[in-house]
Amino acid sequence: MTAKRSVTVTVNGETRTGEAEPRMLLSDFLRDTLGLTGTHVGCEHGICGACTVHVDGEAARSCLMLAVQADGAEIETVEGLADGETLHRLQQLFSKHRALQCGFCTPGMLMTALDLVRHRPNLTEAEIRSGMAAVLCRCTGYEGIVHAVAEYASGGER
Amino acid sequence: MKPPRFDYHAPESLDEALDLLADSGPDARILAGGQSLVPALNFRLARPSVLIDINGVAELAGIEDAGERLVIGATTRQRAIETSETVARRVPLLHEATRYVAHLPIRTRGTLGGSVANADPAAEDPAVAAALEATMVCRSRRGERRIAAAGFFIDVLTTALEPDEMLIAVEFPGIPDGAGAAFAEISRRDGDFALAGVAAQIAISNGRVADARIAACGVGPAPLRFRDAEDALLDSACGPEAIEAACDAVAASSDPHDDVHASAAYRRQLAAAMARRALNGARARAGGAA
C-alpha cells in the first residue's frame, strides 16, 4: 500500500499520467513528475498560498493534497492562463498595476484571485483585501495586487 | 518527499472504512479535508502507520434538513457550508462562523467533521457545536454512539472518540423562530487562527430572553460554553446591563494561556469584547425584541 500508483489528471485541458507514492504531494507531482514548475512551493504547510491551483474549478493548496487524491481531477495551474504569447487579462492587470516584484507568490495570487472573483460577485475592496490575505507576498505591500484584482473584478470578468 | 511513509487506503463505503479503522490499530489516522493533518504529515509531526482517506465515501458528504435538526455529513466541505442557503437559513451561526475559517482555498478542502474531530482549541466549528449543543454522530464496527458537545470536546486536540470510532455526521438544532445568532472573532490577520472568537444565539419571547447560547474558541483548551453568561441574560430584556454582566461572566470563565500571539490577560479581554459584539449582533437579529 506504500507502492507507487498511477495518477491521471487533466491539467490545463491536457490528460497527463504519472506515478506517485501515496505520500507524494500534489505540488511535487505537478512540479517534479509533470514538469509544471509554474506552481511554486513555499511553506508547504498551507500558510503561504504560493502553491494554490484550481482543483475541479476551485482554488486549493496543492501542498495540502496528496497526488493520489487528485486522480481523475481537473487541475488548472498558472501555465494554463496565458493563450500562447497573450497574457490572461488578470496577468496583464498584474503587470499594469505593478502587482509583483520577485514573482514567487504570483502563481498563487493569480489562481486565488480568479477563484475569489468567481466565488463572490460584487467584491468590495475589503473583501479583496481579506481574500488576497490567503497568499503571502513579501515584496509589494499588496497595494498593486488589490488594484489589479479590483480592476479585474469590476470588468465583469468571471 | 515531505510526509513519512504510510499505508494508504481509499475506501468507497463507510463499512469498508470502519473495518479498516478497526483492523489498523491505534496508529491509523483518518484523512478528511487534510488541511490540518497534511501540514502535520509534511512536518512529520504526525507519523501514522495507516492513512484512511474517506473523501471517496459518498455517504459521508451532504447537508440534510431533518425537520428540527440539520444533519451535516462529516466530509461536507466548509466551502459547501458557506455557500449553502439551507445552512444560512437553518443554522445561521454555523454559516457566519464558517467565513472565519482560514481562507477560501482552505475551505475548498476543509471539512466540518475534520475540524470537529481535530478539536483545535482555536477552531470555529467546535465552538459553534458547543454553543448549539450539537450532537456528534460517531460510528464504529461495534455500533453507533451519539455524543453531545458537552461530553465530546475534552482537551486540546482531544475528543471522546475511541480509536476505532469515526465521526460520521454532526446534527445541529435549527434556529428557533424569533431567535438571532452572530459570530465575532479577532485575529492578527484575516484568516489566522482566532485570538478569541465568540458564538452567540439568543431567543427573545415577549420582550424577555427565553434562551441564550454563548461559547468561545481560542480562550481555553477546548471550546468553552459559558453557562454563567447565559444565566445572566435569561429572563432579562437583553439590555446593555445584562449584556455587560454576560461579558463579565465570559471573561471570568475563560481559561486562556500565554503564547507568542497574545498574553492570557489580553485574550481574556478579547473574549469579553467579542462576546459584546456577538451578543449585540444576535440581539439585533432576534425577533420579538423588547
Side-chain angles (χ1 to χ4, degrees), chain B:
Chain B
M1 208 81 72
K2 266 72 67 180
R5 280 203 175 80
F6 47 76
D7 282 341
Y8 175 81
H9 300 276
E12 291 179 357
S13 75
L14 181 56
D15 286 344
E16 195 187 339
L18 294 174
D19 281 343
L20 282 163
L21 191 57
D23 295 336
S24 299
D27 286 344
R29 291 291 298 268
I30 295 167
L31 176 63
Q35 304 300 288
S36 299
L37 179 54
V38 178
L41 291 174
N42 289 354
F43 279 127
R44 302 202 175 191
L45 293 171
R47 294 169 166 271
S49 54
V50 175
L51 210 54
I52 303 167
D53 180 351
I54 57 171
N55 286 279
V57 181
E59 62 204 280
L60 288 177
I63 298 166
E64 182 202 345
D65 197 341
E68 293 184 349
R69 297 162 300 127
L70 198 65
V71 184
I72 305 184
T75 60
T76 306
R77 309 283 178 197
Q78 286 157 331
R79 186 168 176 144
I81 290 168
E82 178 181 359
T83 54
S84 164
E85 190 276 326
T86 304
V87 176
R89 188 166 40 81
R90 303 276 287 121
V91 192
L93 188 57
L94 178 66
H95 187 257
E96 184 162 82
T98 300
R99 283 180 72 154
Y100 289 89
V101 178
H103 299 284
L104 182 62
I106 299 287
R107 301 194 293 270
T108 298
R109 297 285 302 168
T111 66
L112 173 72
S115 175
V116 168
N118 191 50
D120 188 302
E124 293 81 1
D125 288 340
V128 173
L132 298 181
E133 282 183 274
T135 300
M136 273 35 88
V137 185
C138 309
R139 189 83 66 84
S140 72
R141 201 159 59 183
R142 295 174 288 124
E144 185 168 292
R145 284 203 297 161
R146 299 169 54 82
I147 308 176
F152 185 80
F153 300 106
I154 293 176
D155 206 338
V156 177
L157 305 180
T158 306
T159 70
L161 281 167
E162 296 291 338
D164 66 339
E165 270 183 324
M166 184 191 299
L167 176 65
I168 63 166
V170 182
E171 295 185 359
F172 292 92
I175 189 168
D177 287 342
F183 189 88
E185 178 177 306
I186 189 158
S187 56
R188 292 281 185 200
R189 290 163 295 264
D190 277 10
D192 278 12
F193 281 110
L195 295 176
V198 173
Q201 183 165 301
I202 304 172
I204 296 179
S205 176
N206 299 320
R208 296 277 153 184
V209 175
D211 189 34
R213 309 296 185 88
I214 310 169
C217 56
V219 293
L224 299 180
R225 185 169 168 202
F226 300 106
R227 304 273 182 177
D228 290 351
E230 296 172 1
D231 288 344
L233 289 169
L234 278 176
D235 290 326
S236 79
C238 210
E241 283 177 19
I243 286 181
E244 280 313 305
C247 294
D248 289 346
V250 166
S253 303
S254 291
D255 183 18
H257 65 284
D258 289 305
D259 67 14
V260 65
H261 303 292
S263 67
Y266 181 50
R267 282 179 194 265
R268 198 180 289 278
Q269 283 184 20
L270 290 177
M274 291 306 105
R276 194 174 297 115
R277 270 187 212 174
L279 288 169
N280 282 322
R283 183 188 55 178
R285 290 168 180 174

Side-chain angles (χ1 to χ4, degrees), chain A residues 93-112:
Chain A
L93 290 169
F94 263 55
S95 174
K96 172 184 168 185
H97 290 284
R98 312 237 188 306
L100 65 154
Q101 186 177 317
C102 85
F104 191 87
C105 69
T106 310
M109 287 288 179
L110 292 166
M111 303 315 283
T112 298

